[in-house]
Every structure is written in C-alpha cells, then in structure tokens.
Amino acid sequence: MKVSQTIEKKLPGRPKEASGEELLRYEGLWVDTFRGLRDGNPEGETEIAAVPSLFIKRSGAGQEQLYIEGFGKPPRVIRQQKFSTTPDELRTWRSRVQKEHDQFEEAMLNPAPVRIKVAAIPSESRLWAALKRAETATQVRRIYSQSKIWLKPRLEFPNGRFIEYWPFRRILYKGAEAFCRAKLDPRYPGRDQRKSGDYRRVEYLARVMAGLTVRLAPSTAVEMLRKMKHAEQCICWRCLMQIAPRYPISLARFLAEGNWFR
Ligand SMILES: [Zn+2]
C-alpha cells in the first residue's frame, strides 16, 4: 500500500518551532541559575499545606488500635483498653475512633497551612565571575564542571541517588562556544558598571541560554524576549513577580534589590 503524504523532514537538532512561551519559561530558569550562582539563596520560609499522611485502624481478635500519622508530628498509636467489654466502654472506644477519624479527614480536606524553613543555598560567585571572563568553550566547560550547586543538572541525595532536576543546565556545556560568542555581541552589557549592571548581564546571558535551550540562535532569542508583549492576563514568571515589561520595574533592578522567588 502506498500512502502519499508529506513527511516533515526532520532536520537534526532543530525542532519544528520554538514557542515564545517555552523560550520565556527557560529565560526564567536561566535567570534563576545565574542569579543563584552569583548570590545564592538566603534562608527562607515557605508555606505548605500540612496534609496528614496515614490513618490505620487495626481490628480483629482482641484489642483494636489506631495508628495516625499527622504532618510534622510523631505518629500516634492509640490502643483500645484491654478487656473493655462493657457496652459503655465499647461506646466510648467507638466514639473515640470516630472522633480521631473525623479529625483526620478534616485535616485531609482542609490542611492547615504551616510555615517551614528552607535552608540557605550558598552562592558560587567565583564561578559567576569566571563565566563572565571566559573566552573559550574549554574555559566555560571547566567552570561548568567545577560547579557543585548552581550549574549542576542533578539533584543529589546523601544515599547516592539523584534526579535530573535541571536538565537544561547541560546546555551550557554543550553550547559553551555559542555562549562565548554571545558575549561579543554589542548587546551584551559587559561594561555596565552600575549596581544593577551585573543583573543586566544575568538577564542577557539567561536569554542567550534560553535560546540555546530551545535551539534558537542566541541573537534571535534575545530579540524575541526583548520585544515580547505580555497580555493583561499573562501569568508568566515576569508578570507574577510584577516586573517589566508589564510593570515599570526592570528585572535588573528587581534583582539588585535582592528580590526573587524563594
Ligand atoms: Zn507575562
């Protein structure tokens, strides 16, 4: 059987089209990476829902018992009194079980918000400075390999396991040459001496890297992101942080004042 159809020729290493949305998302991720490399994260607090985790009722022959695991609390085991056989004792036990169960369900459905501490993450400012100085791909790759935190694509656990949490960071290694070339572009604010100057470099380099991540030429990505319009109902990272282009404060100023997602 012959089927005539136009098969889109897949050019190696080139997706059909990079959406502006994806580009914008990676811009945010790369800003996070370079900003973190430069400044690290201070200790912070975040609010999460305290969802209880486990409720087990063990019955059968003899004593019944409840096993309840709340949020951030040691588990509780409640045992029925031995030899509680009178109707009154049984009724008391039943209502106790019911009460614990209701409380658990209520906490499941309406978990109370709790604030938890988020540990500080140190900067790797030495690597940020080196990245700005780097002139060759080899230098960039060496810097990438030296990073223990911010340029690593993997989140590692003490037991030796890991997850590939930031796969996009590998693009810095792969695109090391394009990264160096992009710093020669006149749009790179290499000599901006203002306090916020370094954050303009963060923004520019994040745009370059976002482009490389979605396989766009860095200069195309820089232009696309610079001219991007954000609708009034836009909920991208920039609009959520209330910065340019929809809001008057620029990313560079916002970062220079020490703000970022925590
Ligand atoms: Zn937006």
Side-chain angles (χ1 to χ4, degrees), residues 50-92:
V51 183
S53 47
L54 211 56
F55 185 97
I56 300 172
K57 183 181 165 202
R58 192 176 300 151
S59 44
Q63 253 178 318
E64 280 188 3
Q65 64 181 47
L66 297 178
Y67 178 90
I68 304 159
E69 239 176 67
F71 177 87
K73 291 179 228 157
R76 287 189 300 145
V77 181
I78 305 165
R79 290 190 180 85
Q80 186 182 14
Q81 271 189 340
K82 264 185 194 165
F83 316 115
S84 49
T85 44
T86 70
D88 248 10
E89 282 166 340
L90 283 174
R91 212 174 301 122
T92 310

Side-chain angles (χ1 to χ4, degrees), residues 1 18 23 28 75 85 92-93 106 114 122 131-132 146 169 188 199 203-204 210 235-236 240:
M1 185 173 72
L23 184 66
T85 44
T92 310
W93 172 245
E106 171 62 23
V114 283
L131 214 47
K132 288 187 292 176
Q146 280 173 3
R169 290 178 179 172
Y188 177 56
Y199 296 104
E203 183 177 46
Y204 174 86
I235 48 158
C236 77
L240 286 177

Side-chain angles (χ1 to χ4, degrees), residues 230 234 236 239:
H230 295 246
C234 181
C236 77
C239 294

Side-chain angles (χ1 to χ4, degrees), residues 105-125:
E105 276 211 333
E106 171 62 23
M108 285 273 283
L109 295 172
N110 299 305
V114 283
R115 298 196 71 79
I116 57 162
K117 274 210 186 336
V118 180
I121 304 174
S123 73
E124 295 180 292
S125 52

Side-chain angles (χ1 to χ4, degrees), residues 38-185:
R38 186 190 190 278
D39 298 336
N41 276 357
E43 185 188 82
E45 270 195 348
T46 189
E47 202 164 82
I48 58 167
V51 183
S53 47
L54 211 56
F55 185 97
I56 300 172
K57 183 181 165 202
R58 192 176 300 151
S59 44
Q63 253 178 318
E64 280 188 3
Q65 64 181 47
L66 297 178
Y67 178 90
I68 304 159
E69 239 176 67
F71 177 87
K73 291 179 228 157
R76 287 189 300 145
V77 181
I78 305 165
R79 290 190 180 85
Q80 186 182 14
Q81 271 189 340
K82 264 185 194 165
F83 316 115
S84 49
T85 44
T86 70
D88 248 10
E89 282 166 340
L90 283 174
R91 212 174 301 122
T92 310
W93 172 245
R94 291 278 155 260
S95 74
R96 172 100 200 255
V97 171
Q98 190 60 48
K99 200 176 134 218
E100 291 287 349
H101 185 257
D102 290 349
Q103 274 176 4
F104 182 85
E105 276 211 333
E106 171 62 23
M108 285 273 283
L109 295 172
N110 299 305
V114 283
R115 298 196 71 79
I116 57 162
K117 274 210 186 336
V118 180
I121 304 174
S123 73
E124 295 180 292
S125 52
R126 194 179 53 81
L127 297 181
W128 167 244
L131 214 47
K132 288 187 292 176
R133 277 195 313 267
E135 288 173 352
T136 68
T138 312
Q139 289 168 341
V140 170
R141 293 196 175 119
R142 199 177 305 135
I143 294 161
Y144 173 88
S145 308
Q146 280 173 3
S147 171
K148 300 239 177 325
I149 307 167
W150 291 99
L151 301 178
K152 280 177 83 103
R154 288 174 174 179
L155 180 61
E156 285 161 6
F157 301 102
N159 62 6
R161 303 182 95 134
F162 63 85
I163 41 173
E164 183 92 354
Y165 203 69
W166 304 276
F168 64 92
R169 290 178 179 172
R170 293 187 187 278
I171 306 293
L172 181 61
Y173 189 93
K174 272 209 230 160
E177 219 172 300
F179 177 84
C180 291
R181 237 178 295 127
K183 287 196 297 170
L184 302 175
D185 189 294

Side-chain angles (χ1 to χ4, degrees), residues 24 229-231 233-240 243 245-246:
L24 181 63
K229 298 268 182 287
H230 295 246
Q233 59 279 23
C234 181
I235 48 158
C236 77
W237 64 275
R238 283 179 176 269
C239 294
L240 286 177
I243 58 169
R246 243 175 79 201

